[in-house]
């Protein structure tokens, strides 16, 4: 496993062309999908919702394929195809309506995206999903390209985990290789005495990663168009609570040189995977370098603040990328921006009884933008919406957005 640093030969700029060897055949097949056409969105969550809203504002029709007619994305789509995502008849019905197809969550069945591609250009390709859905394959692929990832070993039981400690040391983070997110399916194991914590029967494949002391966590959203153009958004600095993103702020509190490096490494990762659309790369900042933690081939929670903060939001950029349009400017409209997640906890009191958040109090604070996702059943730790603000200083935006959120609760 390589831990070497990326040696970039590409001069960073806001927009440049992909040099991936995957890109030649893919871009040769690309075609411009103009406003007025129909975009298919596989998945009905909040990322699909915000994508559909951005697409509609640009004159596109959006057809959502999901398992309920009242999902966040279905509420704002022009049309919804309801069915199991692996139902071949439903896939055919959906894909036949579309001029181009994309997705909002990487755990869509790869076979579904492969079938969609028989009807319309489909981004990202099913091969990208096959990699992104398996942490072992993802990390092996990125490490094989010379990108620095958290050191890892495949494990399957207590014996193999104990053996992994000889390479990775203690503590380790043990994760399911597939399907985990927001801390689900993860265990921090600090010594051999804690091996019994892992429920090996709950998943078929596992990965152990070295516990990586880091300075801060940051993320970069990369856009690569079907025509080969690419660009990155400013670096987001992320604070988590209980493994769930709590607050994001941009620009991140890192040097300009390190921010440039993070953007270059993220672009290289997207090129390595052959992504068309968006890829978010989550990094640990360790000294004067960045280490890839995870990637997601879609818009990302940390990028929600781009709706207000950037000349082009991550969702509009997603539309532009899959439709082969020129990518938009990712520069900030204001020196700083911050976002805070709104979880279902805001709607629940100490006895888990529903309460009405104090919306008036929160949005009475100047320069606060409210986004709710249309979810009807608040649950603790469930993402229900977010708040965003812009300002002149880092402290100003963080204090304002967290103060507004605090005013929501009784």
């Amino acid at each position: 496993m390589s831990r070497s640093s990326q040696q970039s030969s590409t001069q960073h700029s806001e927009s440049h062309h992909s040099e991936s060897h995957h890109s030649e055949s893919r871009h040769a097949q690309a075609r411009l999908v103009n406003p007025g056409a129909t975009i298919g969105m596989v998945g009905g969550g909040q990322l699909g919702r915000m994508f559909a809203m951005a697409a509609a504002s640009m004159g596109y029709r959006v057809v959502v394929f999901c398992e309920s007619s009242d999902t966040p994305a279905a509420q704002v789509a022009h049309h919804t195809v309801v069915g199991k995502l692996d139902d071949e008849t439903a896939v055919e019905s959906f894909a036949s309506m579309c001029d181009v197809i994309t997705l909002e969550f990487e755990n869509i069945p790869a076979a579904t995206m492969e079938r969609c591609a028989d009807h319309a250009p489909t981004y990202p390709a099913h091969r990208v999903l096959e990699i992104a859905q398996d942490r072992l394959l993802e990390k092996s692929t990125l490490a094989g390209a010379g990108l620095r990832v958290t050191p890892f070993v495949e494990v399957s039981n207590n014996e193999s985990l104990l053996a992994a400690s000889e390479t990775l040391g203690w503590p380790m983070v043990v994760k399911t290789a597939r399907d985990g997110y927001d801390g689900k399916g993860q265990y921090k194991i600090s010594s051999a005495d804690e091996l019994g914590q892992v429920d090996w029967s709950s998943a078929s494949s596992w990965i152990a990663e070295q516990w990586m002391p880091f300075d801060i966590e940051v993320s970069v959203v990369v856009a690569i168009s079907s025509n080969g153009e690419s660009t990155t958004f400013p670096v987001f600095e992320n604070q988590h609570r209980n493994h769930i993103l709590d607050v994001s702020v941009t620009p991140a509190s890192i040097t300009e040189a390190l921010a440039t490096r993070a953007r270059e490494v993220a672009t290289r990762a997207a090129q390595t995977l052959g992504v068309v659309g968006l890829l978010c790369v989550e990094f640990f900042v360790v000294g004067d370098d960045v280490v890839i933690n995870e990637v997601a081939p879609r818009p990302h929670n940390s990028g929600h603040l781009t709706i207000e903060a950037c000349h082009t939001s991550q969702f509009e950029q997603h539309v532009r990328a899959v439709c082969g349009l020129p990518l938009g400017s990712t520069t900030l409209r204001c020196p700083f921006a911050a976002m805070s997640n709104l979880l279902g906890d805001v709607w629940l009191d100490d006895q888990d009884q529903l309460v009405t958040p104090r919306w008036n109090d929160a949005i009475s604070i100047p320069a606060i933008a409210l986004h709710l996702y249309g979810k009807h059943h608040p649950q603790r730790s469930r993402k229900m919406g977010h708040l965003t603000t812009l300002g002149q200083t880092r402290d100003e935006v963080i204090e304002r957005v967290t103060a507004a959120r605090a005013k929501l609760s009784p």
Side-chain angles (χ1 to χ4, degrees):
M1 176 182 57
S2 171
R3 294 187 59 182
S4 63
S5 300
Q6 174 202 12
Q7 301 298 315
S8 173
S9 61
T10 303
Q11 182 68 34
H12 176 77
S13 63
E14 183 182 79
S15 181
H16 59 276
H17 285 84
S18 167
E19 297 177 354
S20 168
H21 69 277
H22 296 290
S23 64
E24 294 182 5
S25 61
R26 183 180 70 231
H27 297 152
Q29 301 297 319
R31 62 184 177 86
L32 181 65
V33 181
N34 280 308
T38 298
I39 305 175
M41 168 56 65
V42 184
Q46 63 261 26
L47 301 179
R49 177 190 183 93
M50 289 180 274
F51 174 93
M53 294 167 73
S57 73
M58 297 175 69
Y60 290 94
R61 292 178 56 81
V62 176
V63 176
V64 169
F65 177 32
C66 57
E67 297 186 355
S68 169
S69 60
D70 194 32
T71 61
Q75 293 168 10
V76 300
H78 293 87
H79 185 73
T80 302
V81 174
V82 178
K84 295 292 185 182
L85 297 185
D86 58 358
D87 183 316
E88 292 188 19
T89 301
V91 172
E92 296 287 321
S93 175
F94 160 74
S96 65
M97 302 179 186
C98 304
D99 296 298
V100 65
I101 297 169
T102 188
L103 54 77
E104 63 113 30
F105 191 54
E106 67 269 24
N107 286 330
I108 303 297
T112 294
M113 301 306 286
E114 187 174 17
R115 292 190 194 101
C116 286
D118 292 336
H119 296 268
T122 298
Y123 309 117
H126 72 278
R127 296 181 302 278
V128 177
L129 290 192
E130 289 171 345
I131 296 172
Q133 289 172 357
D134 189 310
R135 287 189 172 99
L136 286 163
L137 185 55
E138 173 190 297
K139 288 187 179 292
S140 297
T141 301
L142 296 173
L147 301 176
R148 188 179 176 191
V149 302
T150 50
F152 68 95
V153 173
E154 183 176 6
V155 293
S156 58
N157 51 38
N158 288 348
E159 290 72 24
S160 60
L161 184 55
L162 188 61
S165 70
E166 298 178 7
T167 301
L168 303 179
W170 303 104
M172 292 180 287
V173 180
V174 183
K175 304 177 181 179
T176 56
R178 302 178 66 88
D179 297 330
Y181 65 96
D182 286 345
K184 296 177 175 63
Q186 297 187 19
Y187 304 84
K188 181 182 178 183
I189 306 298
S190 298
S191 70
D193 294 336
E194 299 179 1
L195 294 178
Q197 291 185 19
V198 183
D199 179 9
W200 298 106
S201 65
S202 64
S204 59
S205 58
W206 296 81
I207 182 173
E209 298 177 6
Q210 185 180 86
W211 180 260
M212 178 78 59
F214 59 86
D215 300 319
I216 59 173
E217 295 179 85
V218 301
S219 57
V220 176
V221 173
V222 183
I224 298 187
S225 173
S226 61
N227 65 25
E229 184 185 7
S230 66
T231 190
T232 61
F233 284 88
V235 182
F236 311 122
E237 181 176 340
N238 304 317
Q239 301 170 13
H240 291 80
R241 180 182 296 176
N242 298 325
H243 302 288
I244 301 172
L245 183 63
D246 185 46
V247 173
S248 289
V249 61
T250 193
S253 57
I254 56 178
T255 65
E256 184 175 346
L258 190 54
T260 297
R261 175 165 175 73
R263 295 170 86 163
E264 289 175 343
V265 172
T267 301
R268 175 77 180 279
Q271 294 169 345
T272 296
L273 297 175
V275 169
V276 169
L278 299 191
L279 180 78
C280 179
V281 182
E282 299 179 65
F283 293 104
F284 295 136
V285 175
V286 181
D288 60 356
D289 200 5
V290 289
V291 181
I292 296 175
N293 178 29
E294 294 183 343
V295 303
R298 53 169 171 82
H300 192 261
N301 193 176
S302 62
H304 291 353
L305 55 75
T306 62
I307 297 173
E308 283 79 28
C310 296
H311 288 284
T312 307
S313 75
Q314 67 168 346
F315 301 101
E316 179 183 333
Q317 200 78 299
H318 190 179
V319 175
R320 288 171 175 254
V322 300
C323 291
L325 298 173
L327 297 179
S329 169
T330 60
T331 56
L332 293 170
R333 296 178 181 272
C334 200
F336 288 88
M339 178 215 71
S340 61
N341 268 333
L342 299 180
L343 304 183
D345 306 59
V346 172
W347 282 256
L348 300 171
D349 65 16
D350 293 340
Q351 286 73 46
D352 285 342
Q353 298 300 306
L354 283 174
V355 295
T356 300
R358 292 158 42 182
W359 303 115
N360 282 356
D361 291 346
I363 64 175
S364 68
I365 296 178
I368 286 290
L370 170 65
H371 296 263
L372 295 178
Y373 304 150
K375 297 179 181 179
H376 304 306
H377 304 291
Q379 299 173 11
R380 294 200 181 277
S381 301
R382 188 185 191 197
K383 295 172 183 174
M384 301 290 291
H386 69 269
L387 300 172
T388 304
T389 194
L390 310 182
Q392 298 300 310
T393 70
R394 172 188 173 86
D395 288 346
E396 174 193 358
V397 295
I398 293 175
E399 290 172 5
R400 184 187 298 136
V401 81
T402 52
R405 181 174 61 184
K407 284 183 175 291
L408 289 171
S409 299

